Amino acid sequence: MAAKAELSSWSEYPEDFTLLQQHHQQQHNLAHISSKAWISSTSIRALSIRDAHAAAEAAGISREKLVPVTEFTDRVTTKGMTETDPAKAPDGGKTSHFGPQRHRRVAANARERRRMHGLNKAFDELRSVIPSLENEKKLSKYDTLQMAQIYITELSELLAGVVHPECRSPRPGTCSSSSDGESSHLSDAEEGQSGKQWQKVSANDF
DNA sequence: TAGGCCATCTGGTCCT
DNA sequence: AGGACCAGATGGCCTA
């Protein structure tokens, strides 16, 4: 995952790398890397990040010269350099695109990528406002949503306790607790999923 | 090695 | 027509 994080941080806007990619490719015949797959300039094939490093070193190219080119594969296929072999396509080539159709598909892919990056950015921002332990493993998307739901519920109940005058007196049974109300929306499975993490968090933050 | 999580591609659908 | 959104498929990386 470290590799992914490294790659995803290279460019929030992959299009910005286009000129750089083309420049480097023309000038130095460098190995090229997409954010997901790694591409070598000599053989257009998907490589893992480790494979890319190994291949680069074997070819005498330093790792530092590996260039992130998120849309490299899209762009080369647009130019027809590496059009998908219909015979090798999962559907036997029935859905292969050429010319303008291919261009639209490539553009749609780029939009979809941007959209998902925006979504992931929103997830990151949401994670940043959810209390968690330091050195805690990054919350998954699912856990982030669950934790956010629980956190909001807890805050709402806390706020309700502050606002309602009767909650200022320590009389038992006058205020809602986390055992009822909105927190009950979580199913047992849902609570089980995030329960451990939330227990750790709530112990520190409340 | 299996399972979890993720990024990306893709085609379909809906909306402007 | 083109963009946004969605869900399924695929493959890579990481961890237990």
Side-chain angles (χ1 to χ4, degrees), chain A residues 48-124:
Chain A
S48 72
I49 187 169
R50 284 191 216 124
D51 289 342
H53 283 158
E57 287 176 357
I61 301 170
S62 69
R63 292 185 181 188
E64 290 71 26
K65 288 190 176 181
L66 289 171
V67 179
V69 285
T70 303
E71 293 192 323
F72 180 72
T73 51
D74 283 348
R75 293 178 185 282
V76 293
T77 51
T78 301
K79 293 174 183 171
M81 291 169 59
T82 60
E83 201 74 58
T84 303
D85 181 358
K88 292 178 182 176
D91 57 2
K94 284 182 291 186
T95 58
S96 293
H97 296 301
F98 298 93
Q101 260 192 320
R102 177 65 197 166
H103 186 268
R104 275 197 293 273
R105 213 332 101 194
V106 168
N109 289 347
R111 286 194 303 273
E112 177 67 6
R113 229 179 286 128
R114 270 196 297 273
R115 194 181 71 84
M116 295 309 295
H117 288 171
L119 197 58
N120 289 338
K121 187 179 177 184
F123 265 104
D124 285 338

Side-chain angles (χ1 to χ4, degrees), chain A residues 46 50 52 135 154 171 206:
Chain A
R50 284 191 216 124
N135 300 325
E154 292 287 338
R171 284 187 299 150
F206 294 106

